[in-house]
Amino acid sequence: MRPADLRICKQEGRPIAVLTAWDALSAALVEQAGADVILVGDSLAMVVLGHATTLPVTLEEMILHTRAVGRGLQRPADQRPLIITDLPFLSYQCGADAAVAAAGQVLKDSPAAGVKLEGAEPETLQVVDRLVRSGIPVMGHLGLTPQSVHQLGYRRQAKDPISQERLKRQARDLQAAGCFALVLEHVPQELAADLSAELTLPVIGIGAGEQCDGQVRVTADLLGLTERQPPFCPPLLAGRELCITALRGWVAGLQPQPAPTPPTTPSTPAAPHC
Ligand code: KIV
């Protein structure tokens, strides 16, 4: 799967399945599940590195995790899912040159075939344009953008007509700048449906209703492994509970078992009753 193939999926009405992975084990699982795209999302900062937000993860860490994801894939090269890696906070906000260097590093040092970045401010559009003209496929991300948590929180976005028009304009701008796909996170489903119908690039939703060209989920949320899942990502199973219960059983099995109580033999012969 290559970035351009996603447009073909959209044209043919084939829903695009995107799942996150962060290491070889999770990559093998989502590849075997049939995901079209593996996103090495910066959510790994929270899911597996234990940070409170996505902001602290570094470019080097994103590359390290992407390499591990690549090592986990087992299918022949031409049948593997497409790997896309998130550009972490501050790797593309300081200008197009720095962004090309960061994204180029991702493509040189890992099996990712493209990068994802958040937002569509004029500076970000310039970055997208430079990346695309440098041969680096870019996936956009609008709506709830976790790298802006200190401005937006984790709330649903684009709730009123003005912000919906703004988001539509930004989506069109990202398409014009050359993005090959667009993630829409936690926005009203009518808005996501309208954009999926209007844009030629595939719209991949999370918390954006079912009328998108594809869906993306954080795999650890879907498996119920994280402590709490966002309201728009209900778990498929109680993975955390299942794991803890199984592991507890194993730990308990190691504890010394009480020795079987021997049959009581009276130390002195019982006194005759008469
Ligand atoms: O980092 C991530 O996992 C993401 C998805 C939620 C789309 O950006």
PDB file of all heavy atoms in Angstrom, residues 150-183:
ATOM      1  N   HIS A 150      -3.166  22.656  25.060  1.00  0.00           N
ATOM      2  CA  HIS A 150      -3.201  23.780  25.996  1.00  0.00           C
ATOM      3  C   HIS A 150      -4.079  24.924  25.497  1.00  0.00           C
ATOM      4  O   HIS A 150      -4.429  25.818  26.253  1.00  0.00           O
ATOM      5  CB  HIS A 150      -1.780  24.261  26.299  1.00  0.00           C
ATOM      6  CG  HIS A 150      -0.962  23.201  26.998  1.00  0.00           C
ATOM      7  ND1 HIS A 150      -1.380  22.574  28.154  1.00  0.00           N
ATOM      8  CD2 HIS A 150       0.221  22.621  26.667  1.00  0.00           C
ATOM      9  CE1 HIS A 150      -0.480  21.676  28.522  1.00  0.00           C
ATOM     10  NE2 HIS A 150       0.498  21.675  27.633  1.00  0.00           N
ATOM     11  N   GLN A 151      -4.431  24.891  24.199  1.00  0.00           N
ATOM     12  CA  GLN A 151      -5.374  25.886  23.668  1.00  0.00           C
ATOM     13  C   GLN A 151      -6.780  25.312  23.542  1.00  0.00           C
ATOM     14  O   GLN A 151      -7.758  25.980  23.825  1.00  0.00           O
ATOM     15  CB  GLN A 151      -4.921  26.347  22.280  1.00  0.00           C
ATOM     16  CG  GLN A 151      -3.837  27.387  22.328  1.00  0.00           C
ATOM     17  CD  GLN A 151      -3.368  27.755  20.934  1.00  0.00           C
ATOM     18  OE1 GLN A 151      -3.389  26.925  20.024  1.00  0.00           O
ATOM     19  NE2 GLN A 151      -2.926  28.975  20.773  1.00  0.00           N
ATOM     20  N   LEU A 152      -6.870  24.069  23.091  1.00  0.00           N
ATOM     21  CA  LEU A 152      -8.183  23.508  22.721  1.00  0.00           C
ATOM     22  C   LEU A 152      -8.716  22.481  23.702  1.00  0.00           C
ATOM     23  O   LEU A 152      -9.893  22.143  23.657  1.00  0.00           O
ATOM     24  CB  LEU A 152      -8.088  22.829  21.330  1.00  0.00           C
ATOM     25  CG  LEU A 152      -7.540  23.660  20.177  1.00  0.00           C
ATOM     26  CD1 LEU A 152      -7.475  22.817  18.901  1.00  0.00           C
ATOM     27  CD2 LEU A 152      -8.421  24.884  19.940  1.00  0.00           C
ATOM     28  N   GLY A 153      -7.864  21.953  24.578  1.00  0.00           N
ATOM     29  CA  GLY A 153      -8.267  20.832  25.425  1.00  0.00           C
ATOM     30  C   GLY A 153      -8.533  19.608  24.547  1.00  0.00           C
ATOM     31  O   GLY A 153      -8.069  19.537  23.403  1.00  0.00           O
ATOM     32  N   TYR A 154      -9.301  18.659  25.099  1.00  0.00           N
ATOM     33  CA  TYR A 154      -9.633  17.451  24.317  1.00  0.00           C
ATOM     34  C   TYR A 154     -11.114  17.479  23.921  1.00  0.00           C
ATOM     35  O   TYR A 154     -11.748  16.454  23.742  1.00  0.00           O
ATOM     36  CB  TYR A 154      -9.304  16.186  25.122  1.00  0.00           C
ATOM     37  CG  TYR A 154      -7.805  15.981  25.321  1.00  0.00           C
ATOM     38  CD1 TYR A 154      -7.249  15.957  26.591  1.00  0.00           C
ATOM     39  CD2 TYR A 154      -6.959  15.822  24.228  1.00  0.00           C
ATOM     40  CE1 TYR A 154      -5.878  15.777  26.780  1.00  0.00           C
ATOM     41  CE2 TYR A 154      -5.592  15.646  24.403  1.00  0.00           C
ATOM     42  CZ  TYR A 154      -5.061  15.623  25.679  1.00  0.00           C
ATOM     43  OH  TYR A 154      -3.706  15.453  25.840  1.00  0.00           O
ATOM     44  N   ARG A 155     -11.662  18.715  23.831  1.00  0.00           N
ATOM     45  CA  ARG A 155     -13.091  18.865  23.534  1.00  0.00           C
ATOM     46  C   ARG A 155     -13.405  18.616  22.059  1.00  0.00           C
ATOM     47  O   ARG A 155     -12.527  18.751  21.201  1.00  0.00           O
ATOM     48  CB  ARG A 155     -13.531  20.290  23.869  1.00  0.00           C
ATOM     49  CG  ARG A 155     -13.700  20.559  25.349  1.00  0.00           C
ATOM     50  CD  ARG A 155     -14.221  21.963  25.563  1.00  0.00           C
ATOM     51  NE  ARG A 155     -13.272  22.974  25.080  1.00  0.00           N
ATOM     52  CZ  ARG A 155     -12.238  23.406  25.784  1.00  0.00           C
ATOM     53  NH1 ARG A 155     -12.003  22.918  26.984  1.00  0.00           N
ATOM     54  NH2 ARG A 155     -11.425  24.331  25.305  1.00  0.00           N
ATOM     55  N   ARG A 156     -14.690  18.321  21.813  1.00  0.00           N
ATOM     56  CA  ARG A 156     -15.153  18.225  20.433  1.00  0.00           C
ATOM     57  C   ARG A 156     -14.975  19.585  19.758  1.00  0.00           C
ATOM     58  O   ARG A 156     -15.209  20.635  20.390  1.00  0.00           O
ATOM     59  CB  ARG A 156     -16.627  17.825  20.419  1.00  0.00           C
ATOM     60  CG  ARG A 156     -17.102  17.295  19.091  1.00  0.00           C
ATOM     61  CD  ARG A 156     -18.280  16.401  19.329  1.00  0.00           C
ATOM     62  NE  ARG A 156     -19.511  17.168  19.297  1.00  0.00           N
ATOM     63  CZ  ARG A 156     -20.456  17.007  18.374  1.00  0.00           C
ATOM     64  NH1 ARG A 156     -20.296  16.110  17.428  1.00  0.00           N
ATOM     65  NH2 ARG A 156     -21.553  17.710  18.415  1.00  0.00           N
ATOM     66  N   GLN A 157     -14.558  19.578  18.508  1.00  0.00           N
ATOM     67  CA  GLN A 157     -14.265  20.825  17.801  1.00  0.00           C
ATOM     68  C   GLN A 157     -15.335  21.119  16.752  1.00  0.00           C
ATOM     69  O   GLN A 157     -16.136  20.244  16.415  1.00  0.00           O
ATOM     70  CB  GLN A 157     -12.892  20.721  17.133  1.00  0.00           C
ATOM     71  CG  GLN A 157     -11.750  20.524  18.116  1.00  0.00           C
ATOM     72  CD  GLN A 157     -11.593  21.695  19.072  1.00  0.00           C
ATOM     73  OE1 GLN A 157     -11.468  22.849  18.645  1.00  0.00           O
ATOM     74  NE2 GLN A 157     -11.612  21.414  20.365  1.00  0.00           N
ATOM     75  N   ALA A 158     -15.296  22.347  16.241  1.00  0.00           N
ATOM     76  CA  ALA A 158     -16.160  22.789  15.137  1.00  0.00           C
ATOM     77  C   ALA A 158     -17.639  22.573  15.446  1.00  0.00           C
ATOM     78  O   ALA A 158     -18.368  21.972  14.655  1.00  0.00           O
ATOM     79  CB  ALA A 158     -15.754  22.077  13.840  1.00  0.00           C
ATOM     80  N   LYS A 159     -18.066  23.101  16.587  1.00  0.00           N
ATOM     81  CA  LYS A 159     -19.456  22.865  16.990  1.00  0.00           C
ATOM     82  C   LYS A 159     -20.402  23.930  16.415  1.00  0.00           C
ATOM     83  O   LYS A 159     -21.583  23.697  16.299  1.00  0.00           O
ATOM     84  CB  LYS A 159     -19.548  22.834  18.518  1.00  0.00           C
ATOM     85  CG  LYS A 159     -18.996  21.520  19.081  1.00  0.00           C
ATOM     86  CD  LYS A 159     -19.128  21.442  20.572  1.00  0.00           C
ATOM     87  CE  LYS A 159     -18.055  22.251  21.246  1.00  0.00           C
ATOM     88  NZ  LYS A 159     -17.923  22.059  22.662  1.00  0.00           N
ATOM     89  N   ASP A 160     -19.876  25.113  16.095  1.00  0.00           N
ATOM     90  CA  ASP A 160     -20.769  26.175  15.591  1.00  0.00           C
ATOM     91  C   ASP A 160     -20.475  26.430  14.110  1.00  0.00           C
ATOM     92  O   ASP A 160     -19.424  26.063  13.595  1.00  0.00           O
ATOM     93  CB  ASP A 160     -20.555  27.449  16.410  1.00  0.00           C
ATOM     94  CG  ASP A 160     -19.129  27.915  16.306  1.00  0.00           C
ATOM     95  OD1 ASP A 160     -18.803  28.647  15.352  1.00  0.00           O
ATOM     96  OD2 ASP A 160     -18.294  27.506  17.156  1.00  0.00           O
ATOM     97  N   PRO A 161     -21.435  27.083  13.424  1.00  0.00           N
ATOM     98  CA  PRO A 161     -21.302  27.267  11.972  1.00  0.00           C
ATOM     99  C   PRO A 161     -20.015  27.987  11.563  1.00  0.00           C
ATOM    100  O   PRO A 161     -19.412  27.635  10.549  1.00  0.00           O
ATOM    101  CB  PRO A 161     -22.531  28.092  11.590  1.00  0.00           C
ATOM    102  CG  PRO A 161     -23.516  27.847  12.693  1.00  0.00           C
ATOM    103  CD  PRO A 161     -22.729  27.553  13.939  1.00  0.00           C
ATOM    104  N   ILE A 162     -19.584  28.960  12.381  1.00  0.00           N
ATOM    105  CA  ILE A 162     -18.381  29.711  11.962  1.00  0.00           C
ATOM    106  C   ILE A 162     -17.153  28.816  11.992  1.00  0.00           C
ATOM    107  O   ILE A 162     -16.358  28.775  11.048  1.00  0.00           O
ATOM    108  CB  ILE A 162     -18.187  30.958  12.868  1.00  0.00           C
ATOM    109  CG1 ILE A 162     -19.328  31.936  12.590  1.00  0.00           C
ATOM    110  CG2 ILE A 162     -16.829  31.617  12.636  1.00  0.00           C
ATOM    111  CD1 ILE A 162     -19.328  33.170  13.458  1.00  0.00           C
ATOM    112  N   SER A 163     -17.011  28.050  13.095  1.00  0.00           N
ATOM    113  CA  SER A 163     -15.818  27.185  13.152  1.00  0.00           C
ATOM    114  C   SER A 163     -15.943  26.022  12.156  1.00  0.00           C
ATOM    115  O   SER A 163     -14.928  25.496  11.681  1.00  0.00           O
ATOM    116  CB  SER A 163     -15.544  26.697  14.571  1.00  0.00           C
ATOM    117  OG  SER A 163     -16.699  26.261  15.181  1.00  0.00           O
ATOM    118  N   GLN A 164     -17.167  25.658  11.791  1.00  0.00           N
ATOM    119  CA  GLN A 164     -17.311  24.609  10.770  1.00  0.00           C
ATOM    120  C   GLN A 164     -16.856  25.118   9.404  1.00  0.00           C
ATOM    121  O   GLN A 164     -16.174  24.417   8.663  1.00  0.00           O
ATOM    122  CB  GLN A 164     -18.765  24.128  10.712  1.00  0.00           C
ATOM    123  CG  GLN A 164     -19.101  23.306  11.941  1.00  0.00           C
ATOM    124  CD  GLN A 164     -20.538  22.859  12.005  1.00  0.00           C
ATOM    125  OE1 GLN A 164     -21.309  23.047  11.081  1.00  0.00           O
ATOM    126  NE2 GLN A 164     -20.902  22.265  13.129  1.00  0.00           N
ATOM    127  N   GLU A 165     -17.213  26.367   9.094  1.00  0.00           N
ATOM    128  CA  GLU A 165     -16.765  26.951   7.821  1.00  0.00           C
ATOM    129  C   GLU A 165     -15.244  27.058   7.799  1.00  0.00           C
ATOM    130  O   GLU A 165     -14.597  26.803   6.796  1.00  0.00           O
ATOM    131  CB  GLU A 165     -17.392  28.339   7.607  1.00  0.00           C
ATOM    132  CG  GLU A 165     -18.724  28.297   6.880  1.00  0.00           C
ATOM    133  CD  GLU A 165     -18.751  27.311   5.705  1.00  0.00           C
ATOM    134  OE1 GLU A 165     -17.896  27.424   4.818  1.00  0.00           O
ATOM    135  OE2 GLU A 165     -19.615  26.416   5.688  1.00  0.00           O
ATOM    136  N   ARG A 166     -14.685  27.437   8.962  1.00  0.00           N
ATOM    137  CA  ARG A 166     -13.219  27.583   9.062  1.00  0.00           C
ATOM    138  C   ARG A 166     -12.543  26.232   8.820  1.00  0.00           C
ATOM    139  O   ARG A 166     -11.582  26.126   8.080  1.00  0.00           O
ATOM    140  CB  ARG A 166     -12.880  28.138  10.447  1.00  0.00           C
ATOM    141  CG  ARG A 166     -11.416  28.357  10.683  1.00  0.00           C
ATOM    142  CD  ARG A 166     -11.179  29.243  11.901  1.00  0.00           C
ATOM    143  NE  ARG A 166      -9.780  29.296  12.188  1.00  0.00           N
ATOM    144  CZ  ARG A 166      -9.153  28.437  12.986  1.00  0.00           C
ATOM    145  NH1 ARG A 166      -9.831  27.476  13.577  1.00  0.00           N
ATOM    146  NH2 ARG A 166      -7.857  28.544  13.185  1.00  0.00           N
ATOM    147  N   LEU A 167     -13.090  25.190   9.464  1.00  0.00           N
ATOM    148  CA  LEU A 167     -12.481  23.871   9.300  1.00  0.00           C
ATOM    149  C   LEU A 167     -12.599  23.386   7.846  1.00  0.00           C
ATOM    150  O   LEU A 167     -11.662  22.806   7.293  1.00  0.00           O
ATOM    151  CB  LEU A 167     -13.123  22.868  10.255  1.00  0.00           C
ATOM    152  CG  LEU A 167     -12.386  21.536  10.344  1.00  0.00           C
ATOM    153  CD1 LEU A 167     -12.387  20.992  11.774  1.00  0.00           C
ATOM    154  CD2 LEU A 167     -12.962  20.496   9.417  1.00  0.00           C
ATOM    155  N   LYS A 168     -13.736  23.671   7.220  1.00  0.00           N
ATOM    156  CA  LYS A 168     -13.897  23.272   5.808  1.00  0.00           C
ATOM    157  C   LYS A 168     -12.846  23.961   4.930  1.00  0.00           C
ATOM    158  O   LYS A 168     -12.242  23.342   4.058  1.00  0.00           O
ATOM    159  CB  LYS A 168     -15.294  23.640   5.313  1.00  0.00           C
ATOM    160  CG  LYS A 168     -16.372  22.672   5.751  1.00  0.00           C
ATOM    161  CD  LYS A 168     -17.697  23.019   5.091  1.00  0.00           C
ATOM    162  CE  LYS A 168     -18.756  22.003   5.487  1.00  0.00           C
ATOM    163  NZ  LYS A 168     -20.083  22.331   4.999  1.00  0.00           N
ATOM    164  N   ARG A 169     -12.649  25.266   5.225  1.00  0.00           N
ATOM    165  CA  ARG A 169     -11.651  26.017   4.442  1.00  0.00           C
ATOM    166  C   ARG A 169     -10.260  25.409   4.647  1.00  0.00           C
ATOM    167  O   ARG A 169      -9.498  25.216   3.703  1.00  0.00           O
ATOM    168  CB  ARG A 169     -11.665  27.477   4.912  1.00  0.00           C
ATOM    169  CG  ARG A 169     -11.288  28.469   3.861  1.00  0.00           C
ATOM    170  CD  ARG A 169     -11.576  29.909   4.242  1.00  0.00           C
ATOM    171  NE  ARG A 169     -11.226  30.235   5.623  1.00  0.00           N
ATOM    172  CZ  ARG A 169     -12.113  30.603   6.545  1.00  0.00           C
ATOM    173  NH1 ARG A 169     -13.393  30.650   6.262  1.00  0.00           N
ATOM    174  NH2 ARG A 169     -11.716  30.915   7.763  1.00  0.00           N
ATOM    175  N   GLN A 170      -9.972  25.059   5.899  1.00  0.00           N
ATOM    176  CA  GLN A 170      -8.641  24.484   6.196  1.00  0.00           C
ATOM    177  C   GLN A 170      -8.460  23.136   5.489  1.00  0.00           C
ATOM    178  O   GLN A 170      -7.375  22.828   4.996  1.00  0.00           O
ATOM    179  CB  GLN A 170      -8.489  24.309   7.702  1.00  0.00           C
ATOM    180  CG  GLN A 170      -8.374  25.622   8.456  1.00  0.00           C
ATOM    181  CD  GLN A 170      -8.139  25.408   9.937  1.00  0.00           C
ATOM    182  OE1 GLN A 170      -8.683  24.472  10.531  1.00  0.00           O
ATOM    183  NE2 GLN A 170      -7.345  26.265  10.534  1.00  0.00           N
ATOM    184  N   ALA A 171      -9.528  22.351   5.461  1.00  0.00           N
ATOM    185  CA  ALA A 171      -9.443  21.038   4.797  1.00  0.00           C
ATOM    186  C   ALA A 171      -9.174  21.223   3.308  1.00  0.00           C
ATOM    187  O   ALA A 171      -8.336  20.523   2.716  1.00  0.00           O
ATOM    188  CB  ALA A 171     -10.738  20.262   5.028  1.00  0.00           C
ATOM    189  N   ARG A 172      -9.875  22.191   2.707  1.00  0.00           N
ATOM    190  CA  ARG A 172      -9.640  22.456   1.264  1.00  0.00           C
ATOM    191  C   ARG A 172      -8.207  22.939   1.052  1.00  0.00           C
ATOM    192  O   ARG A 172      -7.546  22.541   0.089  1.00  0.00           O
ATOM    193  CB  ARG A 172     -10.605  23.538   0.769  1.00  0.00           C
ATOM    194  CG  ARG A 172     -12.028  23.049   0.690  1.00  0.00           C
ATOM    195  CD  ARG A 172     -12.969  24.182   0.257  1.00  0.00           C
ATOM    196  NE  ARG A 172     -14.328  23.828   0.586  1.00  0.00           N
ATOM    197  CZ  ARG A 172     -15.159  24.575   1.328  1.00  0.00           C
ATOM    198  NH1 ARG A 172     -14.786  25.742   1.804  1.00  0.00           N
ATOM    199  NH2 ARG A 172     -16.387  24.141   1.578  1.00  0.00           N
ATOM    200  N   ASP A 173      -7.718  23.768   1.975  1.00  0.00           N
ATOM    201  CA  ASP A 173      -6.346  24.282   1.846  1.00  0.00           C
ATOM    202  C   ASP A 173      -5.327  23.142   1.926  1.00  0.00           C
ATOM    203  O   ASP A 173      -4.340  23.127   1.196  1.00  0.00           O
ATOM    204  CB  ASP A 173      -6.041  25.291   2.969  1.00  0.00           C
ATOM    205  CG  ASP A 173      -6.766  26.608   2.759  1.00  0.00           C
ATOM    206  OD1 ASP A 173      -7.274  26.838   1.646  1.00  0.00           O
ATOM    207  OD2 ASP A 173      -6.839  27.391   3.730  1.00  0.00           O
ATOM    208  N   LEU A 174      -5.572  22.194   2.847  1.00  0.00           N
ATOM    209  CA  LEU A 174      -4.628  21.066   2.984  1.00  0.00           C
ATOM    210  C   LEU A 174      -4.637  20.219   1.713  1.00  0.00           C
ATOM    211  O   LEU A 174      -3.595  19.743   1.263  1.00  0.00           O
ATOM    212  CB  LEU A 174      -4.986  20.218   4.209  1.00  0.00           C
ATOM    213  CG  LEU A 174      -4.617  20.836   5.570  1.00  0.00           C
ATOM    214  CD1 LEU A 174      -5.197  20.015   6.713  1.00  0.00           C
ATOM    215  CD2 LEU A 174      -3.097  20.955   5.727  1.00  0.00           C
ATOM    216  N   GLN A 175      -5.842  20.042   1.153  1.00  0.00           N
ATOM    217  CA  GLN A 175      -5.901  19.273  -0.102  1.00  0.00           C
ATOM    218  C   GLN A 175      -5.133  20.007  -1.199  1.00  0.00           C
ATOM    219  O   GLN A 175      -4.334  19.405  -1.924  1.00  0.00           O
ATOM    220  CB  GLN A 175      -7.364  19.067  -0.514  1.00  0.00           C
ATOM    221  CG  GLN A 175      -7.495  18.424  -1.893  1.00  0.00           C
ATOM    222  CD  GLN A 175      -8.900  17.928  -2.171  1.00  0.00           C
ATOM    223  OE1 GLN A 175      -9.299  16.875  -1.667  1.00  0.00           O
ATOM    224  NE2 GLN A 175      -9.656  18.657  -2.976  1.00  0.00           N
ATOM    225  N   ALA A 176      -5.351  21.344  -1.291  1.00  0.00           N
ATOM    226  CA  ALA A 176      -4.668  22.128  -2.325  1.00  0.00           C
ATOM    227  C   ALA A 176      -3.156  22.111  -2.114  1.00  0.00           C
ATOM    228  O   ALA A 176      -2.377  22.138  -3.066  1.00  0.00           O
ATOM    229  CB  ALA A 176      -5.189  23.558  -2.321  1.00  0.00           C
ATOM    230  N   ALA A 177      -2.724  22.045  -0.844  1.00  0.00           N
ATOM    231  CA  ALA A 177      -1.281  22.035  -0.559  1.00  0.00           C
ATOM    232  C   ALA A 177      -0.663  20.666  -0.867  1.00  0.00           C
ATOM    233  O   ALA A 177       0.558  20.529  -0.851  1.00  0.00           O
ATOM    234  CB  ALA A 177      -1.034  22.409   0.893  1.00  0.00           C
ATOM    235  N   GLY A 178      -1.490  19.661  -1.108  1.00  0.00           N
ATOM    236  CA  GLY A 178      -0.956  18.372  -1.570  1.00  0.00           C
ATOM    237  C   GLY A 178      -1.050  17.225  -0.596  1.00  0.00           C
ATOM    238  O   GLY A 178      -0.441  16.170  -0.830  1.00  0.00           O
ATOM    239  N   CYS A 179      -1.794  17.376   0.513  1.00  0.00           N
ATOM    240  CA  CYS A 179      -1.942  16.241   1.445  1.00  0.00           C
ATOM    241  C   CYS A 179      -2.570  15.056   0.707  1.00  0.00           C
ATOM    242  O   CYS A 179      -3.453  15.227  -0.133  1.00  0.00           O
ATOM    243  CB  CYS A 179      -2.857  16.623   2.616  1.00  0.00           C
ATOM    244  SG  CYS A 179      -2.017  17.599   3.861  1.00  0.00           S
ATOM    245  N   PHE A 180      -2.124  13.849   1.051  1.00  0.00           N
ATOM    246  CA  PHE A 180      -2.686  12.667   0.385  1.00  0.00           C
ATOM    247  C   PHE A 180      -3.893  12.113   1.141  1.00  0.00           C
ATOM    248  O   PHE A 180      -4.654  11.303   0.611  1.00  0.00           O
ATOM    249  CB  PHE A 180      -1.625  11.578   0.186  1.00  0.00           C
ATOM    250  CG  PHE A 180      -1.184  10.884   1.441  1.00  0.00           C
ATOM    251  CD1 PHE A 180      -1.859   9.774   1.919  1.00  0.00           C
ATOM    252  CD2 PHE A 180      -0.087  11.349   2.159  1.00  0.00           C
ATOM    253  CE1 PHE A 180      -1.466   9.138   3.092  1.00  0.00           C
ATOM    254  CE2 PHE A 180       0.312  10.729   3.325  1.00  0.00           C
ATOM    255  CZ  PHE A 180      -0.376   9.624   3.793  1.00  0.00           C
ATOM    256  N   ALA A 181      -4.089  12.542   2.394  1.00  0.00           N
ATOM    257  CA  ALA A 181      -5.241  12.111   3.194  1.00  0.00           C
ATOM    258  C   ALA A 181      -5.373  13.087   4.358  1.00  0.00           C
ATOM    259  O   ALA A 181      -4.446  13.854   4.648  1.00  0.00           O
ATOM    260  CB  ALA A 181      -5.059  10.689   3.699  1.00  0.00           C
ATOM    261  N   LEU A 182      -6.537  13.021   5.012  1.00  0.00           N
ATOM    262  CA  LEU A 182      -6.798  13.963   6.104  1.00  0.00           C
ATOM    263  C   LEU A 182      -7.504  13.239   7.244  1.00  0.00           C
ATOM    264  O   LEU A 182      -8.542  12.599   7.022  1.00  0.00           O
ATOM    265  CB  LEU A 182      -7.706  15.095   5.580  1.00  0.00           C
ATOM    266  CG  LEU A 182      -8.249  16.068   6.623  1.00  0.00           C
ATOM    267  CD1 LEU A 182      -7.122  16.868   7.269  1.00  0.00           C
ATOM    268  CD2 LEU A 182      -9.252  17.021   5.964  1.00  0.00           C
ATOM    269  N   VAL A 183      -6.934  13.339   8.441  1.00  0.00           N
ATOM    270  CA  VAL A 183      -7.606  12.817   9.646  1.00  0.00           C
ATOM    271  C   VAL A 183      -8.504  13.923  10.207  1.00  0.00           C
ATOM    272  O   VAL A 183      -8.073  15.062  10.358  1.00  0.00           O
ATOM    273  CB  VAL A 183      -6.571  12.381  10.709  1.00  0.00           C
ATOM    274  CG1 VAL A 183      -7.246  12.127  12.057  1.00  0.00           C
ATOM    275  CG2 VAL A 183      -5.834  11.126  10.250  1.00  0.00           C
TER     276      VAL A 183
END
